[in-house]
Amino acid sequence: MKRLLLPAVGLLGALVLYGGNCSRARVESMEALNRGVLAARQKQYVEAIEELEKATAIDPTNEQAFWNLALVHMETQKLDAARADLAKAIAVNPQRGLYHYQLGTVNQQQQRWDDAKSAFEAAIRVDQALFKAYFKLGQVLEEMDDQQNALRRYTEAVQRGPRFLPAYSALGRLYADLGYLDQAVQVLQSALQVAHRGTEEEADIHNILGSVYQQQRKYDEAVTQFREALNIVPSMHDALFSLGWTYWLQDNRENARIYLKKFVDTAGPRARQDYVTAANQRLIELAEAPQ
């Protein structure tokens, strides 16, 4: 919340200094805005909403007040209200790409796919540097079963945000899902070149790359990638399962048993239940197989 809220204190100082150039209503609106931002930063959301609504009532052209009010409503999961706030901010200033981006985010959270698509397209039309808008537009297009355009938007997200790893992950995964395995490997290897070492994001890339190698039946390379993921995040459930499964594909029964059991033993409610079922079935088969 602190990162997103726009500090208005500097603007208020300028308005007071040059008070002759603006209305009294504008000054009062900015004062209420500042109080609302401060209250939001202190997580006093009821007071924040009250002050920010007062700011918009005093001056309906105060786009920052609508913007910050939307952020507070998003923080408190009042998404319908946030959507209305953002629409008003956009009506005042349609040239702020960030307003369209957050409207798209709210629509995405509410699974309003057509509205989200329109908002993200507006965001990048206004500000082509908003690489996360390209990324989220790709996610929405996937939900709308438009995989080819999703590939294009993920690619643009990578090009415009070359260190934004979620875009690489999404692009590599979608290439793999569509059967473009060589392209998936290329994207994911590029991601590893810019990933910060030892982070969960790097582990995620290793895990996805391992899955692509597994699909290519390059089992040694897959094992290497899954182990790299687990070296960073030892509890990564998908990597534990995939490593055990890949060892089984190599007929390495002992390591298959070790890692599939680790997966089953540590699988919590967030683990995929189809993976748990498959791992248990494989462990039964491994126990029954002749040594």
Side-chain angles (χ1 to χ4, degrees), residues 49 53 69-79 81-82 85:
I49 290 172
E53 286 180 341
L69 184 57
L71 296 179
V72 175
H73 279 142
M74 290 176 70
E75 185 74 11
T76 55
Q77 293 301 304
K78 297 177 181 177
L79 298 183
D85 299 331

Side-chain angles (χ1 to χ4, degrees), residues 268-285:
R270 297 180 63 184
R272 286 183 51 171
Q273 291 307 301
D274 55 337
Y275 280 24
V276 175
T277 300
N280 277 319
Q281 182 60 42
R282 193 63 65 211
L283 286 168
I284 292 171
E285 295 173 5

Side-chain angles (χ1 to χ4, degrees), residues 81-96:
R83 193 172 67 250
D85 299 331
L86 289 163
K88 291 173 183 176
I90 290 168
V92 176
N93 184 2
Q95 297 306 309
R96 283 295 303 271

Side-chain angles (χ1 to χ4, degrees), residues 226-289:
F226 294 135
R227 282 189 170 277
E228 288 285 353
L230 291 169
N231 283 340
I232 299 169
V233 183
S235 62
M236 181 177 281
H237 292 128
D238 286 358
L240 284 170
F241 173 83
S242 296
L243 181 56
W245 199 266
T246 305
Y247 277 131
W248 174 77
L249 291 170
Q250 291 181 310
D251 199 29
N252 186 335
R253 294 198 305 258
E254 183 58 30
N255 276 327
R257 185 180 298 109
I258 289 171
Y259 285 97
L260 288 174
K261 189 173 187 307
K262 282 184 179 180
F263 167 73
V264 170
D265 288 346
T266 61
R270 297 180 63 184
R272 286 183 51 171
Q273 291 307 301
D274 55 337
Y275 280 24
V276 175
T277 300
N280 277 319
Q281 182 60 42
R282 193 63 65 211
L283 286 168
I284 292 171
E285 295 173 5
L286 287 167
E288 294 173 347

Side-chain angles (χ1 to χ4, degrees), residues 13-31:
L15 285 170
V16 172
L17 181 62
Y18 301 106
N21 294 328
C22 63
S23 69
R24 179 61 189 169
R26 184 66 170 180
V27 172
E28 291 179 357
S29 179
M30 295 302 292
E31 289 173 346

Side-chain angles (χ1 to χ4, degrees), residues 131 152-163 167-168 171:
F131 57 87
R152 178 167 66 90
R153 294 308 190 178
Y154 287 143
T155 300
E156 290 171 325
V158 168
Q159 292 169 342
R160 297 177 187 279
R163 300 195 70 85
Y168 288 92
L171 180 59

Side-chain angles (χ1 to χ4, degrees), residues 193-204:
Q193 294 176 10
V194 299
H196 292 293
R197 297 294 173 251
T199 62
E200 289 190 17
E201 287 184 324
E202 183 195 3
D204 184 55

